[in-house]
Amino acid sequence: MLRSLEIRDLLIIDRLDLAFQPGLNVLTGETGAGKSILLDALGFVLGWRGRAELVRAGAAQGEVTAVFELSPDHAARAVLAEAGINAEDELILRRINTADGRKTAWVNDRRTSGEVLRNLSDTLVELHGQHDDRGLLNPRGHRQILDAFAGIDLAVARAAWTGLARARRARAGAEAALTAARQDEDYLRHAVAELDKLSPEPGEEAALDARRRAMQGAERIRADIGRAQMALSDQGAEASMTDAMRWLEGASGQAEGRLEGALAALGRAMVELSEAQAGVDDCLSALDFNPYELEEVEERLFAIRAMARKHGVLADELGGFADDLHRRLAAIDNGAGNLVALDKALDEAGADYRRAATALTAARHEAATRLDAAMAAELAPLRMERAVFETRIAPGEEGPEGCDELTFTVATNPGAPAGPLNRIASGGELSRFLLALKVCLTANTPGLTMIFDEIDRGVGGATADAVGRRLALLARGAQVLVVTHSPQVAALGAHHWRVEKQVEGGMTTSTVVPLDTSARIEELARMLAGDTITPAARDAARALLA
């Protein structure tokens, strides 16, 4: 329940403190006095999107604070818990709007976002404005209204619709891919055959190129290496060194040790000479190749490079390219089987969706029967006991929320044909249908403050009195705030405020004044008679209050 509303420097309000009460609270005043500003202020602190410029001219910032009383089982406690805010019996919402447009909000002195405010507002306040009946006139919103009345959970149907849409996309995508692949089937099969025959390996091109260059260079250096081999052999350096060692060894006995160093050096040289001969022999063995091998290497190398140029890839990428072509061919070869599997998945997804949609339709038919009965009970005290409200459900286009088209129809007079609200009901009748519908929709929402902004427009006399009595009855178990121009409705309020506009020092401000019994008589008389209040108008006001 809304306990208080404090407004500072907002639009034409300088400073305003309002203490609301349980039951029926009515606000009256001349047109343009600022009644709608109170609703703008309340909407601002609740995070609703409204006017862009709210700060009073000349002020640095505007501020609104709303205090709500929460019952132990109030739905706002769950929102607070999800936001990580401690829930107490008193909920304080505060929001500031600076002159440059920045907005800051707090919940119980905890900085928070506008989204948290809006989530809280759904559990705290239900506002029915002057043009709220537009939702009744638009059949597109009727299904949503019925679902809200029934508390229908759309999650299963939405999930089934998502699954069905996914299965449809998969089936269509597979068929399109198969069609596109089949257009290139001849090319794919020819290219795969060529690549499989060639069977290139990663790094093969570099290895072949190196082997080719080695064989091309072998002929140029082989002759020199052969001559070196001869020079080092037993017919060359080795023979000379062997003779030298034999001659020196024969003479060393008579040289008194002077040849020992030379003989040792020649021994070491023979070892090094042997290693040199082995290296030269190994090199000549490596350079020894089949004369036809160079031709084979070149043919293989040129074939790989030509294939790479043909398909516009690097030589080392030919293997991966071939794998991709194989996959595309496999998709063609397995395409029919894949389509069968996807068709089966699509059928299953369709069956899931139809089951969910059928369950929704059944739930809506059951809820429509209850809503029609509840509306009949609500319309009687609103002096529309002869009107018939009927919820009509027909098959419609499939979607995430089922496949039902829903329309609210009325017959306002006995024997008259039923038709859509926007063609049958007058302005005053629409207001009463709206009131009855809102009562039905919020009947199971305890702790909700209901605000009606000129819900009684278009009606007067006994009908306005009936509307007022229904609001008063509704307020017995809830808090109801009503902005009204109807004296019949205002007279039934348990608490009455008058919104006034005044000009001081060239500055226009709006204020709200609580009315006692004598002031209420004057206000009701004004509402009855206009600018000139007559004794008869005061007597009529007293009669209304009585």
Side-chain angles (χ1 to χ4, degrees), residues 184-235:
D184 299 329
E185 184 174 1
D186 291 341
Y187 157 74
L188 290 173
R189 296 197 182 278
H190 177 72
V192 164
E194 280 188 330
L195 287 165
D196 287 349
K197 182 178 180 181
L198 184 63
S199 189
E201 297 292 335
E204 185 180 4
E205 186 231 10
L208 289 172
D209 186 56
R211 179 65 177 152
R212 172 174 173 253
R213 283 187 281 105
M215 286 189 291
Q216 286 176 334
E219 287 297 332
R220 291 193 297 270
I221 64 175
R222 185 178 177 81
D224 290 340
I225 296 173
R227 284 192 290 270
Q229 185 185 40
M230 290 297 295
L232 296 173
S233 69
D234 55 3
Q235 297 178 3

Side-chain angles (χ1 to χ4, degrees), residues 286-505:
L287 293 176
D288 191 17
F289 59 88
N290 185 336
Y292 297 105
E293 184 181 355
L294 175 59
E295 182 179 350
E296 293 173 352
V297 168
E298 288 183 335
E299 287 181 357
R300 176 74 177 171
L301 178 62
F302 296 158
I304 289 175
R305 288 177 173 175
M307 189 69 71
R309 287 194 301 272
K310 178 178 180 180
H311 295 292
V313 298
L314 297 176
D316 281 348
E317 296 174 354
L318 282 173
F321 179 71
D323 292 339
D324 181 61
L325 296 187
H326 274 289
R327 283 192 292 270
R328 291 170 64 183
L329 267 182
I332 295 174
D333 294 336
N334 300 326
N338 290 340
L339 289 181
V340 170
L342 290 172
D343 284 336
K344 181 179 179 181
L346 180 57
D347 290 341
E348 291 174 354
D352 289 343
Y353 174 75
R354 286 188 292 275
R355 279 192 295 271
T358 300
L360 272 184
T361 300
R364 285 170 176 150
H365 276 286
E366 186 275 334
T369 301
R370 289 190 289 111
L371 179 60
D372 293 348
M375 284 291 290
E378 288 296 331
L379 290 173
L382 293 175
R383 301 182 66 83
M384 296 185 71
E385 60 277 355
R386 295 184 177 182
V388 176
F389 178 92
E390 182 182 2
T391 305
R392 293 183 178 177
I393 302 175
E397 184 178 351
E398 292 183 347
E401 297 178 0
C403 50
D404 302 315
E405 286 188 356
L406 197 142
T407 307
F408 293 149
T409 64
V410 295
T412 55
N413 297 300
L421 278 172
N422 59 335
R423 297 181 182 178
I424 302 298
S426 64
E429 288 169 338
L430 278 175
S431 297
R432 283 177 283 169
F433 276 119
L434 174 64
L435 174 57
L437 190 58
K438 292 300 183 181
V439 169
C440 293
L441 294 176
T442 56
N444 297 319
T445 311
L448 193 66
T449 295
M450 301 182 66
I451 302 175
F452 293 92
D453 183 14
E454 298 188 24
I455 189 68
D456 49 12
R457 76 188 191 285
V459 299
T463 300
D465 180 70
V467 170
R469 293 185 184 280
R470 187 61 191 90
L471 290 170
L473 182 62
L474 179 63
R476 289 183 182 179
Q479 183 185 46
V480 179
L481 276 61
V482 179
V483 176
T484 180
H485 287 288
S486 169
Q488 290 89 346
V489 173
L492 291 166
H495 314 281
H496 193 161
W497 286 267
R498 181 175 64 242
V499 183
E500 299 176 348
K501 185 190 292 185
Q502 51 194 10
V503 180
E504 294 182 0

Side-chain angles (χ1 to χ4, degrees), residues 54-258:
L54 290 171
V55 182
R56 187 172 64 88
Q61 66 180 34
E63 178 179 337
V64 181
T65 302
V67 180
F68 289 85
E69 180 183 294
L70 300 184
S71 60
D73 59 345
H74 200 286
R77 293 181 182 271
V79 179
L80 292 171
E82 185 177 353
I85 302 173
N86 292 330
E88 302 175 2
D89 293 340
E90 188 176 70
L91 175 63
I92 303 175
L93 308 182
R94 177 169 166 258
R95 199 177 189 203
I96 291 175
N97 193 168
T98 60
D100 60 4
R102 290 182 292 111
K103 298 177 177 63
T104 312
W106 291 266
V107 175
N108 287 352
D109 291 330
R110 170 86 174 270
R111 182 81 172 265
T112 189
S113 65
E115 181 181 2
V116 172
L117 291 180
R118 287 187 288 275
N119 291 338
L120 284 170
S121 75
D122 291 340
T123 69
L124 297 170
V125 172
E126 179 80 12
L127 173 63
H128 314 303
Q130 297 183 46
H131 306 293
D132 201 24
D133 53 11
R134 302 246 175 108
L136 283 176
L137 297 180
N138 185 1
R140 293 182 180 178
H142 292 178
R143 186 173 67 188
Q144 182 179 359
I145 292 173
L146 180 67
D147 289 348
F149 169 76
I152 291 176
D153 185 3
L154 298 170
V156 174
R158 286 171 176 165
W161 174 258
T162 300
L164 178 58
R166 187 184 302 116
R168 286 172 172 169
R169 288 195 301 270
R171 174 62 173 79
E175 185 173 13
L178 181 59
T179 300
R182 282 176 172 162
Q183 293 176 351
D184 299 329
E185 184 174 1
D186 291 341
Y187 157 74
L188 290 173
R189 296 197 182 278
H190 177 72
V192 164
E194 280 188 330
L195 287 165
D196 287 349
K197 182 178 180 181
L198 184 63
S199 189
E201 297 292 335
E204 185 180 4
E205 186 231 10
L208 289 172
D209 186 56
R211 179 65 177 152
R212 172 174 173 253
R213 283 187 281 105
M215 286 189 291
Q216 286 176 334
E219 287 297 332
R220 291 193 297 270
I221 64 175
R222 185 178 177 81
D224 290 340
I225 296 173
R227 284 192 290 270
Q229 185 185 40
M230 290 297 295
L232 296 173
S233 69
D234 55 3
Q235 297 178 3
E238 183 181 359
S240 298
M241 291 178 70
T242 301
D243 290 343
M245 286 187 70
R246 185 175 66 251
W247 294 331
L248 291 175
E249 285 173 350
S252 64
Q254 301 175 6
E256 298 180 353
R258 291 186 180 89

